[in-house]
Amino acid sequence: MFIPVVLFLFNNNDVFKNMRFTTQFIYASQAEYGNFFYVVFLSYLIMISVYFFNRVLRKQFGEMIVKKKFSENIEKIIYNYGCFFFIVGGGSVILFFYSMGGIREALEAADALRYAGTDSSQYYGPLTAIFRMLSFLVMGAAYCFKSHYDLTKSNLSRILFIISFGLASIYLIFNSGRSTIIFFLFPFILSYAKKRNINLIFISCVVVIVAISTAQVFDVILYQISHGGINTAHINSSIWDNINSAINDFSFPSANIINIEKMNSIFGLRNGKDYIIWILDIIPTRAFNMLGITLPDYQTLNFETSNYFQSINPLLMGGVPTDFITTGLRQHEMLGLIINTLVYALFALRVDKLVRSFDLNLTVIFARLQILFFSFISNNDLTDIVRGNLFIFIMLIMLVQIDLYSNKVNRSNHSIE
């Protein structure tokens, strides 16, 4: 809500009128303003109501949660998942960059591959596409080995963590913008702060302020790594340029919601198909084409949203994510919004209950889970969520496995007693 309010109060500011997304909000009609605040208020009201209703039920009926303590078997489960991530993800990173002709050649193609609608077949073949998709798993190795080291102080886990962290960093520089890199690093910062007894809210605010203040600097670094030079547009940037850039970067959900009726009239309602087609869409199509199998070609939510903004201004080449509220409204207007909010809220409650049942030092894993829910708000396209965060869902499966194992052991102990 913060950025829309800022734009609403300063809608006569000439700086914001020349930006990519803030322009959409500033020139919106009063009806579009009203619709924006109405749907945002309704969505958050549903989510908060579910949260407090759950708290009332927990107090009324009680909630018996058996805390999962550290044990050798639990430690082994975390280590085994880390090895899986390391072998599949780390191996894919190495094979991907090898297939691209080396790190330098891959980084030179990075900017083009991040543009919406870029044909990746111009840069690599179907087998390399599989390596690129699986490379995300190496981040899971870094989180698992860090957690295993925190529990056991194993030197082997420490070495594997350093290697997986390095491989993940190299791949993220190629594949992602600054926000994804910050999301990757943030759990480790929180883990360090917790170990040093630094207030987590304080350190979170510091990270946000530093990230916003150095936004353009980060772009300069990524540009220099990719192109071997300096983008002259960023040389003389000030802290206010960074703040303005951050406001524009995070105002795309507002622009989406402002234009939601126009999007629905152009593309039609999605009618819930985005909850299903992601299963096919995350699979590299060209890999199946090699086997003579042709998968249906579906346009994702993000693809249609990007097309909409590019039709307004063809010079805008980057992709535009579909935010949480827009996802619901694109399915079936207000009914879709209510269903999407309820599904999200109930899933969050289930994960909260699972996390509360652990009495283990798994700070980096829990923090990354929390960031996943944060990223749902700004990008709710299931294709992007699963493809870019597959390792998080596998770690969630790992926690469920530990939870089931611990409950089984607890029941066995009670039966013996």
Side-chain angles (χ1 to χ4, degrees):
M1 291 294 293
F2 175 74
I3 291 177
V5 169
V6 170
L7 296 177
F8 185 78
L9 295 176
F10 297 95
N11 59 3
N12 291 321
N13 191 317
D14 291 334
V15 173
F16 296 139
K17 289 182 178 180
N18 297 320
M19 290 187 171
R20 180 180 182 185
F21 298 117
T22 55
T23 302
Q24 302 293 316
F25 199 88
I26 288 174
Y27 288 110
S29 66
Q30 291 297 320
E32 289 171 327
Y33 275 133
N35 182 65
F36 171 87
F37 287 111
Y38 172 70
V39 296
V40 170
F41 174 78
L42 177 61
S43 179
Y44 289 173
L45 178 63
I46 293 171
M47 199 177 304
I48 293 170
S49 298
V50 170
Y51 172 75
F52 281 106
F53 181 69
N54 178 68
R55 289 193 63 180
V56 171
L57 291 179
R58 282 166 48 193
K59 288 182 178 180
Q60 184 172 352
F61 296 103
E63 184 182 32
M64 295 296 296
I65 293 181
V66 180
K67 292 285 186 178
K68 277 64 181 176
K69 302 286 185 179
F70 170 75
S71 74
E72 185 176 338
N73 287 327
I74 290 178
E75 162 258 315
K76 190 179 296 184
I77 292 173
I78 296 172
Y79 181 79
N80 288 340
Y81 271 87
C83 289
F84 165 75
F85 286 133
F86 186 75
I87 294 170
V88 178
S92 295
V93 170
I94 294 171
L95 291 172
F96 173 77
F97 281 107
Y98 177 79
S99 301
M100 291 289 290
I103 295 177
R104 169 54 61 187
E105 287 75 10
L107 291 177
E108 288 177 354
D111 278 351
L113 286 168
R114 284 196 287 264
Y115 286 146
T118 298
D119 183 8
S120 59
S121 63
Q122 300 176 15
Y123 297 89
Y124 52 73
L127 193 59
T128 306
I130 296 177
F131 295 149
R132 183 184 183 187
M133 182 186 73
L134 295 177
S135 294
F136 278 101
L137 296 178
V138 75
M139 289 186 281
Y143 293 125
C144 285
F145 287 135
K146 177 63 169 67
S147 297
H148 187 265
Y149 174 76
D150 289 340
L151 293 172
T152 65
K153 304 303 177 186
S154 165
N155 287 327
L156 178 59
S157 292
R158 185 177 186 179
I159 293 171
L160 291 172
F161 162 67
I162 293 172
I163 296 172
S164 56
F165 185 90
L167 289 172
S169 299
I170 293 172
Y171 183 73
L172 282 172
I173 289 173
F174 162 81
N175 195 72
S176 307
R178 57 179 179 263
S179 60
T180 309
I181 296 175
I182 292 171
F183 287 166
F184 172 67
L185 296 176
F186 191 53
F188 300 109
I189 297 173
L190 285 184
S191 178
Y192 176 83
K194 185 176 180 180
K195 188 181 297 183
R196 294 291 185 273
N197 293 320
I198 302 174
N199 185 278
L200 297 185
I201 296 179
F202 169 76
I203 198 68
S204 300
C205 292
V206 170
V207 170
V208 170
I209 293 171
V210 170
I212 291 176
S213 302
T214 60
Q216 300 279 25
V217 176
F218 209 101
D219 288 340
V220 169
I221 294 173
L222 289 179
Y223 187 91
Q224 188 169 16
I225 291 174
S226 300
H227 300 276
I230 297 177
N231 188 343
T232 55
H234 294 152
I235 292 178
N236 298 318
S237 62
S238 66
I239 187 171
W240 293 113
D241 293 327
N242 294 330
I243 292 174
N244 291 337
S245 175
I247 289 175
N248 185 57
D249 286 347
F250 286 101
S251 62
F252 69 85
S254 309
N256 288 345
I257 300 171
I258 286 293
N259 290 282
I260 188 63
E261 292 186 3
K262 296 173 185 175
M263 288 185 192
N264 284 343
S265 65
I266 293 173
F267 300 109
L269 297 175
R270 305 281 291 183
N271 293 313
K273 68 181 180 182
D274 293 294
Y275 299 122
I276 301 172
I277 64 171
W278 65 270
I279 300 172
L280 294 175
D281 200 57
I282 64 172
I283 302 172
T285 305
R286 285 183 290 144
F288 277 82
N289 291 342
M290 291 174 58
L291 303 174
I293 301 173
T294 302
L295 296 177
D297 185 20
Y298 293 103
Q299 290 188 347
T300 66
L301 266 173
N302 285 356
F303 184 83
E304 287 189 351
T305 305
S306 300
N307 272 356
Y308 175 81
F309 284 100
Q310 287 171 21
S311 67
I312 296 175
N313 186 346
L315 297 178
L316 302 179
M317 296 296 294
V320 182
T322 307
D323 62 279
F324 171 73
I325 294 174
T326 300
T327 297
L329 294 171
R330 290 285 288 111
Q331 302 309 310
H332 207 284
E333 297 181 324
M334 295 306 296
L335 177 61
L337 175 68
I338 294 171
I339 292 174
N340 200 55
T341 303
L342 284 174
V343 169
Y344 176 88
L346 294 173
F347 180 49
L349 287 177
R350 181 65 187 93
V351 174
D352 277 346
K353 183 178 180 180
L354 178 65
V355 170
R356 286 200 310 275
S357 69
F358 284 85
D359 190 19
L360 299 169
N361 185 12
L362 302 176
T363 304
V364 292
I365 293 178
F366 293 157
R368 192 62 187 88
L369 276 174
Q370 293 165 340
I371 292 174
L372 172 66
F373 282 89
F374 169 79
S375 62
F376 278 172
I377 298 297
S378 58
N379 186 354
N380 205 220
D381 187 326
L382 284 174
T383 298
D384 280 4
I385 289 171
V386 176
R387 181 185 290 154
N389 301 282
L390 182 59
F391 69 96
I392 301 178
F393 290 101
I394 296 177
M395 286 196 301
L396 189 56
I397 293 172
M398 176 188 73
L399 294 179
V400 172
Q401 182 180 341
I402 295 173
D403 185 60
L404 294 173
Y405 166 79
S406 300
N407 290 338
K408 180 179 178 181
V409 171
N410 186 62
R411 285 194 299 268
S412 298
N413 291 338
H414 277 298
S415 63
I416 293 174
E417 293 173 0

